[in-house]
Amino acid sequence: MPGACAEGRRRRCKEGWRKYLRNDTERMLGGPGTLVVVVVVVSVSDIARGETLPTLTLQPPHMFTLAAPNTSPLPATRAYSTEEEGEGVDAEEREKEEEEKSKPRFTSKNGTVSAYLGERASLDCTVTKPANLSVSWLRLVDDLLELLTWESNTYANDNRYWLMERAGDGWRQWQLMIRDAQVEDEGQYRCQVATDPPMVLINTLHVIVPVARVVDERGTKVEEKHYNSGSMIELKCVVERVPFPHGPITWRRGATVLTFNTSRGGISVKGDAASGYIRSRLYVADAAPSDSGVYSCWYGNSTADSVTVHVLAGENSAAMQHDALPDSSSEKPSSQPASSSSASSSSSSSLHLTGTCCRLLTSSIVPLLTLLILLTR
């Protein structure tokens, strides 16, 4: 710094002094553009006592230099194209699909299986990709599961149950069979595969029971039928909800099974597969009071319906007609001559005899003819 300033140049001296300090500071700190933070510590107690503040002296400051921007290029990174990303997604999806295909599956869904009464019921359980998994059949009875089969072993107490196994390329079948299905066999059956968690297929068995009805020509259910002695008994039975080919139909009078007899009658059976019913007729010619009784129509040994047949005695009918003749003649005037009365009586006897003969012929021939016509229909 040059020598002391003159009094007249005080202003210019102060400005020169400030410029000197600024240049000296910049030189000491490393040049312009540097952020300088000067920390001054003053005791509060000193200010409170009114002491004179000391003269500040510049000490080496704490400097914070801003880092220069990094102009070096970024490292090269690999760019993935849209096609490569799509190929990665497709590979994951294919892997999932292959994993799903390798899992065991049932070939059918939960459902209902129907069987006719007395027929064989079949419950299917087919598994694809079975590997060496164990399969069992269980039945739900009163909220409890009863073990019927496990692998190739049968544990059911009923010998009507058995297991039929078959296998092919990538599949295996465990088929539960029930012989002579009954109404008590209805319910829920489960096929269980020993996976984690277990796979379960539910089959609900429904047993169809045929219904037999003895009806008249209009299809109305009848309880009783009345016939005159010497006439033909004709009974009609309809059995619905039957399988085709259907089972046998039999007619019984009481506990006696009736068979086809050409001399007195016959039995006809006709079926309609589209409607699921069969119709049977029983014919008995020249009915007599001894033919009265309870007639029943049976389908197999499971279902039946009955009707009571009454045959009126023919002799009683003739006696009633014979007794009615004198009553009618007694109403005629008593003044009729004796000769006329005897002639009328002779003529009446002849007509009565002729009518009786005609009735006898009619009662024996007409039913046979009618029976032949019905059987040939």
Side-chain angles (χ1 to χ4, degrees):
M1 180 67 189
C5 295
E7 187 68 23
R9 305 175 187 172
R10 183 168 301 185
R11 175 177 295 180
R12 286 180 296 174
C13 182
K14 288 182 179 180
E15 291 178 356
W17 179 252
R18 290 190 185 98
K19 184 177 180 181
Y20 172 78
L21 290 176
R22 185 169 59 251
N23 293 337
D24 187 61
T25 302
E26 289 177 353
R27 182 175 62 254
M28 182 174 58
L29 295 179
T34 304
L35 180 63
V36 179
V37 179
V38 180
V39 180
V40 179
V41 181
V42 179
S43 174
V44 178
S45 60
D46 293 339
I47 298 175
R49 287 194 301 269
E51 296 181 358
T52 305
L53 296 177
T55 304
L56 297 179
T57 306
L58 293 176
Q59 299 293 337
H62 298 282
M63 296 175 293
F64 300 91
T65 305
L66 297 177
N70 187 6
T71 59
S72 61
L74 294 175
T77 58
R78 180 184 176 187
Y80 290 93
S81 65
T82 306
E83 294 180 357
E84 291 177 342
E85 292 179 357
E87 289 177 358
V89 173
D90 292 341
E92 292 180 0
E93 291 181 354
R94 284 195 299 269
E95 185 178 353
K96 290 182 179 179
E97 289 178 359
E98 292 297 329
E99 184 178 355
E100 288 295 326
K101 289 180 180 179
S102 63
K103 292 182 179 180
R105 294 182 181 277
F106 293 115
T107 58
S108 59
K109 298 181 180 180
N110 298 343
T112 301
V113 178
S114 298
Y116 287 96
L117 182 69
E119 301 291 324
R120 185 176 64 184
S122 174
L123 306 178
D124 179 65
C125 178
T126 303
V127 181
T128 59
K129 304 293 189 300
N132 294 320
L133 298 174
S134 299
V135 175
S136 57
W137 274 101
L138 305 100
R139 182 186 180 189
L140 184 64
V141 181
D142 297 331
D143 297 331
L144 297 176
L145 288 175
E146 176 186 353
L147 180 63
L148 301 177
T149 67
W150 180 74
E151 292 189 345
S152 300
N153 305 307
T154 302
Y155 296 93
N157 295 326
D158 194 337
N159 58 10
R160 296 180 302 121
Y161 291 78
W162 83 92
L163 189 66
M164 182 180 294
E165 295 184 60
R166 292 190 300 174
D169 185 14
W171 62 271
R172 192 174 176 186
Q173 183 185 59
W174 290 264
Q175 201 168 19
L176 180 65
M177 314 298 291
I178 306 175
R179 186 187 301 109
D180 189 21
Q182 301 297 316
V183 178
E184 294 78 13
D185 296 324
E186 289 187 329
Q188 188 181 104
Y189 294 79
R190 298 186 179 188
C191 175
Q192 183 169 300
V193 181
T195 55
D196 186 21
M199 295 169 49
V200 177
L201 176 68
I202 299 176
N203 284 323
T204 303
L205 177 62
H206 171 61
V207 178
I208 303 174
V209 181
V211 179
R213 296 180 301 119
V214 178
V215 298
D216 58 17
E217 293 301 325
R218 295 174 296 179
T220 304
K221 174 77 173 68
V222 293
E223 301 289 343
E224 293 184 331
K225 296 196 75 173
H226 296 79
Y227 296 93
N228 291 324
S229 180
S231 61
M232 176 176 290
I233 299 174
E234 181 180 352
L235 303 178
K236 179 181 177 181
C237 176
V238 176
V239 185
E240 300 171 318
R241 304 173 66 186
V242 295
F244 280 83
H246 58 77
I249 288 184
T250 57
W251 284 90
R252 304 178 188 181
R253 185 167 70 88
T256 304
V257 178
L258 303 178
T259 58
F260 183 78
N261 189 338
T262 55
S263 62
R264 291 208 57 202
I267 298 174
S268 67
V269 178
K270 294 182 180 180
D272 187 346
S275 302
Y277 75 91
I278 51 179
R279 181 179 64 247
S280 178
R281 293 179 183 268
L282 171 67
Y283 303 100
V284 180
D286 194 15
S290 59
D291 295 322
S292 299
V294 179
Y295 288 76
S296 56
C297 169
W298 285 78
Y299 177 77
N301 293 318
S302 57
T303 183
D305 193 27
S306 60
V307 61
T308 302
V309 174
H310 303 276
V311 180
L312 303 179
E315 294 180 356
N316 294 338
S317 301
M320 291 175 63
Q321 294 176 5
H322 180 71
D323 294 339
L325 291 175
D327 294 339
S328 61
S329 60
S330 62
E331 296 179 359
K332 295 180 181 180
S334 58
S335 60
Q336 186 175 4
S339 59
S340 175
S341 176
S342 60
S344 175
S345 176
S346 176
S347 176
S348 176
S349 298
S350 299
L351 291 174
H352 178 70
L353 180 60
T354 303
T356 302
C357 294
C358 291
R359 283 197 299 272
L360 290 175
L361 291 173
T362 303
S363 63
S364 61
I365 296 175
V366 172
L368 293 176
L369 294 175
T370 306
L371 176 62
L372 292 175
I373 293 173
L374 292 173
L375 292 176
T376 55
R377 281 194 296 181

